Amino acid sequence: MVTKDRACYGPVYSIKVNNRLMRKNTNTKVSGWIKWGGLCVMLIAGILVAQENSGQSANSVDSQEPAVEQPADGANESENLTEVPAKQSSSETQVFTMDRYEALMAGIAVFVVSVFVGFEVITKVPQTLHTPLMSGSNAISGITIVGAILVVANCVATHDKFALFLAGLAIALAMVNVVGGFGVTHRMLSMFSSKKKKNKSA
Amino acid sequence: MVELNTVIFDLLYLLAAILFIMGIKKMSHPRSAVFGNLLGVVGMLIAAGVSFAIILENESVQTNTTLPLGTIVGAIFIGTFFGTMLATRVQMTEMPQLVAIFNGVGGLASVLVAAASLLAAKEDAMHVEVLIAGGISGLIGAITFVGSGIAAGKLQELAFFKKSIPLPDVIRHFLNLLMLAGCIWCIYAMAVNGDVAINFIGICILGCALGYTLTTPIGGADMPVVIALLNSYSGLAAAATGFVVDQPVLIISGSLVGASGIILTSLMCKAMNRSLLNVLFGGGAASTYEEDGEVYATVIRTSPEDVAIMIDVADRVVFVPGYGMAVAQAQNAVSDLAQQIEERGGTVEYAIHPVAGRMPGHMNVLLAEADVDYSQLKTLEEINPDFDEVDVAIVIGANDVVNPEARKEGTPISGMPILNVDDARQVVVIKRSLSPGYAGIANPLFAADNATMLFGDGKAMIQDISTALKDLD
C-alpha cells in the first residue's frame, strides 16, 4: 500500500544515512544518536501503521462505526483512521482522516530526513567557522517569519485583534533574527575571507 | 483541484529550503562561506516574498476583508531596524551574548506564531496534531526564550544573573521533572479537551520557568554547550511551528538548525569529555581550590624581555589562546606580535581548543577580527602531533585546556582532550595569577621544567614583549 511505503520512507532513509555515517566512522556518538532516533521514529511509524490496520478492520467489521460524524465530502470516505480519545470533545470532530494522517506522516518524514541532511552538511563545517555557523543558522531559524506572515491572513479572517497583535510582534522578532543573524554572519565571514596579507600599521 | 499558483508557491518555498541547505554547505570553507551566507539571504527573501504573495492572493479572493498591510510593513521595519543595529554595533568580543539573544528572539517568535495561529484558527481546523505541535512549539520556544535571556545576561556578566537559587540538586531536578510533567499534561489537555487559551498560557509559563531553572546553575566554561543547545532548541521550535502552520519549509529549515545545534553541542561535550546530562545537571564545578604550594613549588617567573629573547631565536611559535585573551581584548596585540615574529623569519600558528572561549569558534572569530589568516588557526587534532617541534608555545588566558592532569586518572578533567603544550621546547604562560581554571584544579604545567610564567594582564604583557622585541635590534 502506498501510504505504508510513505510512512516507512523516513526511517528507512535514516538507516541508510546512518549506515553511511557508520562506514565513514566520522562521529560514532552522533551516529549512535541517529541510530536510536531512527529506531524511535520507526517505532512510532510502526504503531501508526498498526493502528491504521486495526482501524480498517474495525471499519469493516463494526457497522456502528460511523457514529462519529464525518466531513461531508466524498474524497476520504473509505479509510478512516479513527482515534477516539478518552474524553469526547464538544466542538471538534476527532476523526483522524486519511488525508490528515498522510499529511502528518509526510511532515514527520520531511523533519527526519532534513535532520539527517543537516547532520551530513554541518559535520563538514570546520571548527574555525562554528561561530558564523551558529549565527547563520540562527538567521535561518528566522524562517518563522513565513508562519507569522501567513497567520496574519487567518487573524484577519477571524477578526481576532489580539492574535493579530501577536502575529505582528512575531514578524518583528523574526525580522530581528533574520536581518541581525545574516548581517552579523556576513560581518564575521568577511573578516575571515578578506586576508590580503596584513599591511596594516601596528 | 490544485491551482497553478499553489504549485508555484510550494515550489518556491522548496527552492528557499534548498538555498538554505546549499548555503550551509558552502560554509565548509572560509572562502566560499560569504557566498553561502548570501544564498541564505536569497532563500529568506524568496520565502518571505512568497508568503506575502499568498496572503495578498487570499485577500483578492475574499473581498470582504482587508489586510493590515501597514501593521506588517511596520513590524518588518521595526525588526529590520533593531536587527541592523545589533548586527553592526556589537563588538566581536560580545558575540556569544549576541548569538544567545538571537536564539531567544527566535524562540519567542516561534511561541508567538504558534499562539496567534492557535487563537485565530477556525474551529474545524483545530486538529489534534496541530494542537500538539502548537504545545510543543510553545514549550520549546519558551524554554529557549528565557534560557537564552539568562545565558546572555550571564555572558554580559550582569550581577542579576549571577546568583542562582541555592537549592539542593535533588530538589532542583525534582522541580524540573514536575514542571515538565505539567507541560506534557497541559499539551494533552489542550489536544483532548480543546481549552486552547488556558492550557497554552500554562505551557508558556511552565516553559519559561523551566528555561530559568535549567540555565541558572550553568555558567563559565560550560557556556558553549548551553548556547549550542539553545541554538538547537530555537530550530526545533521553528520546526514545531512548521507543523502548526503546515509549511514544510519551516520544518526543513527548523530541523537544519536543530541538527546544527545538536552537532555543536555534542562536539563541545566531547571536547570536555563529559556527557550532556553531566553538563546540564551536574550543577557546576565544585570550587574546592586550596593553595597548592606543592605543585607550584618550582614555578619560574619570567619577564617580557626574556620572552622577547626567547622568541627572537625561535623558528616556530604557537599561541594558545583561551577565554582570558577575550577578556583582556588582547587579540590585536597578539596579531601584531605575530606579525613581528614573521618579519623576523619565524612561523606563527594558533592552537585552538574546541571549548576555548564562551561559544564554539569564539577564539577563531576574535583572531579573524585581528586579521589573522585562517590557515594559521589550527585545531587540536592538527597541532597536537607537532608540539614537540614547536620552539615556543605562548599560552595566553587558557588553563584547563592545557592541563596535563587530564591525562591522569581520577581528576575532574580526566580524559578531556587537551593541547599537548608541555611537549613544546619552551612554554610561556601569560596569566594574572596562579588561580585555577573553571575545573578548580592546579595545573602542573605552570611548574614544569620547560615552562615559565609571565604574570600580568594579557594585552599589556603581549605589548611589552612586542616593544622588547623591537628594542633587540
Side-chain angles (χ1 to χ4, degrees):
Chain A
M1 189 199 228
V2 191
T3 333
K4 263 186 223 162
D5 292 349
R6 206 177 293 175
C8 297
Y9 178 69
V12 166
Y13 187 86
S14 85
I15 288 161
K16 248 188 197 163
V17 176
N18 184 40
N19 284 344
R20 251 171 65 204
L21 268 179
M22 294 274 265
R23 215 178 307 143
K24 275 194 285 179
N25 204 10
T26 43
N27 192 338
T28 44
K29 196 170 183 181
V30 170
S31 100
W33 287 6
I34 294 175
K35 192 165 68 187
W36 284 108
L39 281 177
C40 289
V41 173
M42 195 143 83
L43 196 72
I44 296 167
I47 292 170
L48 284 170
V49 171
Q51 278 190 349
E52 175 192 20
N53 285 343
S54 66
Q56 274 170 4
S57 59
N59 241 350
S60 54
V61 175
D62 293 357
S63 50
Q64 74 269 37
E65 174 58 31
V68 197
E69 53 180 310
Q70 281 192 7
D73 61 298
N76 48 2
E77 78 285 39
S78 60
E79 303 164 345
N80 274 333
L81 176 61
T82 54
E83 197 181 54
V84 187
K87 197 172 169 186
Q88 274 288 6
S89 100
S90 51
S91 59
E92 57 190 289
T93 56
Q94 290 286 358
V95 191
F96 203 34
T97 57
M98 209 57 215
D99 283 3
R100 276 166 53 201
Y101 167 75
E102 285 189 4
L104 181 63
M105 260 351 270
I108 292 174
V110 165
F111 176 75
V112 172
V113 173
S114 36
V115 166
F116 290 124
V117 171
F119 270 113
E120 284 284 284
V121 173
I122 290 152
T123 36
K124 296 201 179 74
V125 177
Q127 186 194 320
T128 300
L129 293 182
H130 277 171
T131 299
L133 169 69
M134 282 184 91
S135 61
S137 61
N138 229 315
I140 292 177
S141 76
I143 188 73
T144 35
I145 191 160
V146 168
I149 294 178
L150 291 179
V151 160
V152 168
N154 283 356
C155 299
V156 172
T158 51
H159 300 287
D160 194 329
K161 280 268 154 42
F162 182 62
L164 187 63
F165 169 72
L166 292 184
L169 204 57
I171 291 179
L173 289 173
M175 213 53 206
V176 171
N177 226 339
V178 170
V179 176
F182 281 127
V184 90
T185 310
H186 186 79
R187 213 175 120 200
M188 276 190 273
L189 288 176
S190 33
M191 292 185 329
F192 276 102
S193 58
S194 67
K195 287 289 138 17
K196 291 267 101 189
K197 217 32 187 167
K198 306 160 216 170
N199 48 2
K200 52 171 188 167
S201 57
Chain B
M1 186 61 205
V2 180
E3 281 177 43
L4 183 62
N5 273 354
T6 318
V7 176
I8 292 174
F9 289 152
D10 281 346
L11 286 179
L12 281 174
Y13 271 140
L14 201 60
L15 177 66
I18 291 171
L19 284 172
F20 292 147
I21 297 173
M22 295 285 287
I24 291 187
K25 203 171 150 64
K26 289 270 178 232
M27 282 224 187
S28 54
H29 196 280
R31 257 195 306 259
S32 55
V34 175
F35 181 62
N37 192 41
L38 290 179
L39 284 183
V41 175
V42 173
M44 195 57 78
L45 282 177
I46 292 176
V50 170
S51 315
F52 251 119
I54 287 179
I55 57 170
L56 286 176
E57 199 198 9
N58 269 356
E59 190 198 24
S60 62
V61 175
Q62 307 165 325
T63 42
N64 58 339
T65 57
T66 47
L67 275 174
L69 279 179
T71 315
I72 300 178
V73 173
I76 287 182
F77 182 77
I78 294 171
T80 312
F81 175 74
F82 282 108
T84 321
M85 290 287 284
L86 283 172
T88 50
R89 293 291 164 85
V90 168
Q91 298 285 315
M92 282 299 146
T93 35
E94 291 166 341
M95 204 46 72
Q97 292 91 304
L98 184 68
V99 169
I101 288 173
F102 282 155
N103 281 338
V105 168
L108 185 59
S110 295
V111 177
L112 291 178
V113 172
S117 99
L118 290 184
L119 275 177
K122 297 173 195 75
E123 281 289 303
D124 58 339
M126 298 285 248
H127 298 317
V128 184
E129 67 268 23
V130 172
L131 288 168
I132 292 178
I136 294 174
S137 169
L139 172 62
I140 303 178
I143 293 179
T144 316
F145 172 57
V146 175
S148 301
I150 287 170
K154 283 188 167 205
L155 287 164
Q156 190 70 41
E157 313 220 313
L158 301 175
F160 173 73
F161 294 98
K162 276 191 175 166
K163 51 174 185 259
S164 65
I165 309 167
L167 279 177
D169 274 0
V170 183
I171 297 181
R172 210 155 46 77
H173 297 169
F174 180 71
L175 263 177
N176 287 343
L177 270 181
L178 206 68
M179 283 192 280
L180 192 64
C183 281
I184 291 170
W185 187 83
C186 279
I187 294 175
Y188 173 79
M190 188 164 80
V192 173
N193 303 343
D195 305 327
V196 177
I198 294 293
N199 282 314
F200 193 81
I201 291 171
I203 291 168
C204 289
I205 292 174
L206 284 174
C208 287
L210 259 176
Y212 178 78
T213 53
L214 285 176
T215 6
T216 25
I218 309 171
D222 289 339
M223 265 308 162
V225 179
V226 178
I227 296 189
L229 194 66
L230 289 170
N231 190 29
S232 168
Y233 283 176
S234 76
L236 292 179
T241 313
F243 281 98
V244 180
V245 296
D246 194 19
Q247 276 302 334
V249 67
L250 264 81
I251 303 176
I252 296 175
S253 321
S255 48
L256 260 186
V257 179
S260 143
I262 288 286
I263 287 179
L264 292 178
T265 311
S266 99
L267 279 180
M268 294 298 112
C269 287
K270 227 166 79 182
M272 296 198 293
N273 193 35
R274 291 167 70 188
S275 70
L276 179 60
L277 285 180
N278 181 284
V279 174
L280 293 185
F281 302 111
S287 51
T288 53
Y289 168 65
E290 60 242 45
E291 194 65 49
D292 217 330
E294 226 173 284
V295 176
Y296 290 144
T298 56
V299 166
I300 310 160
R301 294 183 73 126
T302 185
S303 66
E305 290 73 25
D306 291 339
V307 178
I309 294 166
M310 203 189 284
I311 288 175
D312 190 37
V313 295
D315 285 333
R316 192 169 176 189
V317 179
V318 170
F319 285 98
V320 183
Y323 183 56
M325 185 186 82
V327 175
Q329 302 262 14
Q331 62 271 23
N332 283 307
V334 170
S335 167
D336 290 343
L337 179 60
Q339 199 184 346
Q340 276 188 38
I341 297 169
E342 279 171 348
E343 280 163 8
R344 287 163 176 273
T347 59
V348 179
E349 284 148 315
Y350 300 83
I352 297 170
H353 194 275
V355 290
R358 287 292 180 265
M359 72 180 294
H362 191 183
M363 292 297 119
N364 307 68
V365 169
L366 288 182
L367 289 169
E369 188 201 11
D371 275 344
V372 172
D373 194 275
Y374 56 76
S375 59
Q376 291 178 308
L377 305 174
K378 303 292 182 193
T379 61
L380 187 96
E381 293 82 10
E382 285 168 346
I383 196 79
N384 257 351
D386 289 358
F387 258 117
D388 47 1
E389 291 164 19
V390 171
D391 296 309
V392 181
I394 302 177
V395 180
I396 165 164
N399 191 345
D400 290 336
V401 296
V402 293
N403 194 336
E405 289 281 298
R407 300 196 200 106
K408 292 185 197 153
E409 291 290 319
T411 63
I413 56 169
S414 288
M416 170 173 157
I418 58 158
L419 292 160
N420 298 328
V421 175
D422 48 344
D423 287 348
R425 291 199 188 99
Q426 281 180 302
V427 183
V428 179
V429 181
I430 302 176
K431 226 175 158 301
R432 283 171 183 280
S433 66
L434 282 171
S435 62
Y438 183 68
I441 52 169
N443 192 339
L445 172 76
F446 300 163
D449 292 341
N450 58 346
T452 49
M453 298 289 298
L454 185 57
F455 292 109
D457 174 66
K459 191 178 181 181
M461 284 303 124
I462 293 280
Q463 280 167 346
D464 287 353
I465 298 173
S466 276
T467 359
L469 199 57
K470 273 192 197 112
D471 293 344
L472 283 180
D473 300 326

